[in-house]
Amino acid sequence: MISSMKNAFSVSGKNILITGGTQGLGKGMADAFLEVGANVGFTGRDKEKAAKVIEEMNAKYPGCTARYYQVDHRKQADCQRSVDSFMKDFGKIDTLINNAGAGRGGPAIDFIDNDFADWHYTLELDLTAVFMMSTMAAKYMKDTGGGSIINITSNAGFVVNKPQKIVAYATAKAGANHMTKMLAHEWAPYKIRVNAIAPGYFESDLTPPELADLMKLWIEYTPTGRQGLPIELGALAVYLASDSSEQMTGAILCIDGGYSLAN
């Protein structure tokens, strides 16, 4: 609970676990937290990519504490091992950021053609894994005085993005948005806050070049006239991890440049 604006947004020394931190927005958030003095652990499947991230972060922030955990978030054992390892390394989880995810799109009517494998893959990674990681972290948070859980969802959880067909991804994100509210209510007595950030279109190294024309269209639909920047998402995550947001739980914070206002 803050009593002064001095250091109200500080997360210096806090322990932050970020899923999917080897690239994209997860890497951007890891960078943001390390810049302001937090300790960061991040997960991912690619060990070589993770090693490059650690090397980059150590060069940018000498003396920082960054750890990597190899995880396939569709596997319960991997999820549990990452949370247990983080606790062993840091002693406490102050904030969990559920960022890992993927979207397999295409016309819904065609999902039957591969026995709904794309549907199951997307729901496992974007919804079930979020629930598993949240409950595993909450078990520890309950015993250590609470914490903050931040789910990275999407504006696709409450509007129909166009023209792409992403029913599995959008359904998973809508479920994660409502899960956020359910867990926030259930875990409030344990001083565990659960909030979500719902981004729109952001600059990312994960955006393939072949989507350049679509990106121009998405920006045209965005009132601010541009994509979001990873540091802007990082700033919002830092706020939700800081003591200044202690009275905020169950919130879904949309950061999409106004895209969802007219779509």
Side-chain angles (χ1 to χ4, degrees), residues 52-107:
K52 292 179 181 178
V53 172
I54 293 287
E55 183 180 358
E56 177 185 331
M57 296 307 181
N58 284 332
K60 288 178 70 174
Y61 311 113
C64 73
T65 302
R67 298 283 187 274
Y68 164 68
Y69 308 97
Q70 188 175 30
V71 178
D72 179 345
H73 281 285
R74 295 173 298 159
K75 299 179 179 179
Q76 180 178 338
D78 275 19
C79 291
Q80 187 67 65
R81 183 169 60 252
S82 70
V83 174
D84 292 344
S85 297
F86 186 91
M87 281 294 297
K88 183 177 180 181
D89 289 341
F90 294 98
K92 183 182 181 184
I93 305 171
D94 290 302
T95 296
L96 166 69
I97 302 179
N98 284 307
N99 167 75
R104 292 186 175 180

